């Protein structure tokens, strides 16, 4: 695609991609950066999920920028997933001239990032609290992921997924049920999940939903049981008058 279309920019998420959870290996990273360089494409690599490694035996590939000979990769990230969703401080790592251009463009686009939030992130990074906060977050996410996987295996055995080694989301194939219809029926039962076509073009991924592992324990079990009920409603061709009970997963 890069060779045929030679786009000016490609946005990629090689670390626990949202929604699929995929972790891209070193060789594919190298190939992507080299092909992008040849087609004059700037690669924006979003590392927002990179710290959310959930399995102890995962060896992380090298960052995309490690394969860059200069000027092809712009790396971005955010504290909002690794630490806390309310801490919306991001960062950019790029060649010095790119950073200079971004800084001057930004001056006209916004009025600056919140100072207290920036101080909080700086404090975490300097004071060593960052690693501790990320470790807490990872442990929690791993627990929630495992709870969600167990609930899905028990209640929706015909749904297919690869258990992601990190990130926040699971990409689930919903058997013979349309993901779009499942999302509508699920919302009526109080569980809001985005359907596959929201992540593609021209109606792609119709038989998928994205399930974030943001809740665990009994809440995860209840959420999946409502999704299973929604699937039954869709399969029977009916709607539901049930009111949402205020349980939102995504
Ligand atoms: C992959 C990815 N990158 C970036 C962001 C945005 O981060 P922020 O909350 O700092 O704007 C999100 C948030 O959903 C995300 O999923």
């Amino acid at each position: 695609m890069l060779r045929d279309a030679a786009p000016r920019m490609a946005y990629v998420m090689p670390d626990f991609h949202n929604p699929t959870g995929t972790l891209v290996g070193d060789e594919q990273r190298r190939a992507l950066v080299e092909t992008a360089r040849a087609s004059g494409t700037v690669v924006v690599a979003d590392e927002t999920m990179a710290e959310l490694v959930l399995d102890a035996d995962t060896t992380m590939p090298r960052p995309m920028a490690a394969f860059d000979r200069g000027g092809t990769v712009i790396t971005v990230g955010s504290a909002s997933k690794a630490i806390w969703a309310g801490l919306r401080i991001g960062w950019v790592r790029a060649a010095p001239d790119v950073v200079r251009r971004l800084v001057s463009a930004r001056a006209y686009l916004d009025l600056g990032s919140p100072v207290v939030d920036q101080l909080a992130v700086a404090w975490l990074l300097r004071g060593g609290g960052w690693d501790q906060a990320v470790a807490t977050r990872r442990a929690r996410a791993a627990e929630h992921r495992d709870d969600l996987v167990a609930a899905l295996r028990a209640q929706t055995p015909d749904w297919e997924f690869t258990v992601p080694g990190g990130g926040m989301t699971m990409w689930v194939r919903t058997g013979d049920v349309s993901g779009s219809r499942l999302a509508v029926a699920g919302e009526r039962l109080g569980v809001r999940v985005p359907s596959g076509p929201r992540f593609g073009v021209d109606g792609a991924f119709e038989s998928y939903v994205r399930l974030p592992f943001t809740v665990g324990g009994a809440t995860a079990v209840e959420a999946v049981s409502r999704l299973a009920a929604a699937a039954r409603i869709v399969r029977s061709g009916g709607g539901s008058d049930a009111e949402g009970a205020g349980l939102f997963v995504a």
Side-chain angles (χ1 to χ4, degrees), residues 11-24 46 49 81 145 148 152 160-173 193-201 204-213 250:
Y11 169 85
V12 297
M13 229 185 123
D15 306 289
F16 308 122
H17 174 259
N18 175 7
T20 62
T22 305
L23 177 64
V24 173
D46 187 337
M49 304 289 179
K81 301 297 180 285
R145 176 199 60 183
L148 182 62
L152 287 167
E160 295 165 58
F161 52 85
T162 302
V163 178
M168 298 178 69
T169 58
M170 216 148 73
W171 187 232
V172 179
R173 196 183 178 103
V193 295
S195 64
R198 286 187 55 180
F199 303 95
V201 289
F205 312 128
E206 179 53 49
S207 54
Y208 288 86
V209 287
R210 183 190 73 175
L211 303 185
F213 24 96

